[in-house]
Structures are given as C-alpha cells and as structure tokens.
Amino acid sequence: MSSIQLDLTASEAKIILEALTEMEAKMTAICETSVDEDEVADVGNDLIEVRLLLNPLKKQAITQFGENVINFSRELL
C-alpha cells in the first residue's frame, strides 16, 4: 500500500479537519435518515473510512497545535 507524508501548518490542518468533520456530519445524517438500504450501506462504509482518517488526524493535530485547531467557529473573538 502506498502512502503520502504530509507536513501541515495549523491553518492547513484546521481546513482539512473542518472539511472531514462536515463530511462526517453529512454522511451520518444520510445514514440516520435514508430509507434506501443500499445508500445507507454505501455511505456507511464510506463513513467508516472518513472516521478512520479523521479521528487520528484530529488527535494528532490537537496534540501538535492545541484544542483551537478544532474550533471552526467564524464568530469574531
């Protein structure tokens, strides 16, 4: 299996984490609301893959950059 090594800044990690978090939320909503068993199965399998990427990346980013890396709020401080 081939792999890619990434060297991310905090802002780059935040962008990727936000996108994956939004994707996870959309896929979860589909799995919870769809009545199409095939769709739920397909999206559910993809959701597992997204979580296998998101969860360790989130943990590593928090360790490296702090909790603020998962604060996706657009509100002014």
Side-chain angles (χ1 to χ4, degrees), residues 58-74:
K58 183 187 295 185
K59 186 175 183 177
Q60 186 176 0
I62 291 170
T63 299
Q64 181 69 30
F65 303 118
E67 287 285 334
N68 198 42
V69 76
I70 57 170
N71 178 0
F72 309 127
S73 173
R74 300 282 192 270

Side-chain angles (χ1 to χ4, degrees), residues 1 5 12 15-16 18 23-24 26 28 41 47-48 51-52 59-60 62 68 71-73 76-77:
M1 175 188 250
Q5 295 287 341
E12 293 166 338
I15 290 167
I16 292 170
E18 183 175 16
M23 181 181 288
E24 179 191 30
K26 288 177 185 177
T28 298
L47 178 58
I48 292 168
R51 287 177 175 162
L52 287 172
K59 186 175 183 177
Q60 186 176 0
I62 291 170
N68 198 42
N71 178 0
F72 309 127
S73 173
L76 297 175
L77 298 175

Side-chain angles (χ1 to χ4, degrees), residues 21-34:
T21 299
E22 287 179 14
M23 181 181 288
E24 179 191 30
K26 288 177 185 177
M27 295 170 110
T28 298
I30 291 169
C31 289
E32 291 174 350
T33 61
S34 179

